[in-house]
Amino acid sequence: MNKKSQLYIFTAIILIVIAFGIAQSRIPKEAPKLSLFDQLYSNFATEAPIMINEALQQQQNVTLAFVEYAQAFKSYAKTRDPQFGFSYVLFTDDEILIQNFLGRSLIAQYDQAYTLQDSIPLILPKKKDQIRFTIDGASYDFQSILHVASVSGVFISEKGNDINVQVLRP
């Protein structure tokens, strides 16, 4: 083999390596798969503000519409993960809504301490912009955004010794 043909073969090999390198970098990589708990949390975090905006646009009572939404979400979440629970606070301009779907006690410190055991909604007139949830000794502080309806909450799922917790803040 003469030197000219060796140069052509060497150049072809280099070009093939470069072509494969470019082709592999353009192949889309799959996003990391979320756990079921993270999927449910993400669904709520995405859908809740949309639901609030829709209720405002349709001039519905946001608090009552959100109670219905939360009940429906709880039912859906329990079909996917029976250990999934959440509690939330919805701040509107004139009231706050607290609801507990954790299956354990929640203490909401607002103008006084309120203990919520089950899924019965607690609607209070808005007197201040901060609230504290205490769940199993852990405290979570939430604050409203002025003149904006917003939702915050705590999401928990237990499986054996594994406990997943996510906190939603606007």
Side-chain angles (χ1 to χ4, degrees):
M1 207 187 278
N2 65 28
K3 289 188 178 202
K4 198 173 191 180
S5 62
Q6 288 177 347
L7 179 63
Y8 288 132
I9 292 173
F10 180 73
T11 304
I13 291 172
I14 297 286
L15 290 175
I16 290 170
V17 168
I18 290 172
F20 277 111
I22 291 172
Q24 286 181 347
S25 67
R26 292 187 183 198
I27 296 172
K29 294 181 172 85
E30 284 187 34
K33 198 160 194 166
L34 293 176
S35 70
L36 181 57
F37 173 77
D38 288 330
Q39 288 175 20
L40 291 170
Y41 166 77
S42 182
N43 285 353
F44 188 93
T46 303
E47 293 172 5
I50 293 169
M51 190 252 99
I52 292 169
N53 286 336
E54 286 178 0
L56 288 169
Q57 287 176 352
Q58 296 171 4
Q59 298 180 343
Q60 296 177 337
N61 181 315
V62 175
T63 303
L64 297 178
F66 204 85
V67 167
E68 290 178 21
Y69 165 75
Q71 291 283 0
F73 184 82
K74 177 198 133 225
S75 297
Y76 163 74
K78 290 292 185 184
T79 64
R80 303 277 319 274
D81 179 359
Q83 303 304 314
F84 183 85
F86 65 100
S87 60
Y88 69 89
V89 57
L90 171 72
F91 291 98
T92 65
D93 283 339
D94 54 350
E95 59 192 7
I96 68 164
L97 164 65
I98 307 165
Q99 203 163 12
N100 178 14
F101 297 109
L102 290 170
R104 62 185 78 192
S105 180
L106 161 72
I107 299 171
Q109 186 67 43
Y110 187 57
D111 56 344
Q112 67 183 47
Y114 299 92
T115 302
L116 289 90
Q117 297 287 348
D118 50 27
S119 60
I120 297 172
L122 175 63
I123 301 171
L124 301 169
K126 188 172 180 184
K127 295 180 182 175
K128 54 186 194 173
D129 294 325
Q130 295 174 312
I131 191 167
R132 172 175 284 172
F133 284 4
T134 304
I135 304 161
D136 295 338
S139 294
Y140 306 91
D141 293 323
F142 301 110
Q143 189 165 352
S144 73
I145 300 171
L146 294 176
H147 307 297
V148 175
S150 62
V151 66
S152 300
V154 179
F155 300 77
I156 300 175
S157 180
E158 285 187 64
K159 290 193 174 120
N161 291 334
D162 293 335
I163 300 173
N164 293 310
V165 177
Q166 284 277 14
V167 178
L168 173 65
R169 290 189 171 91

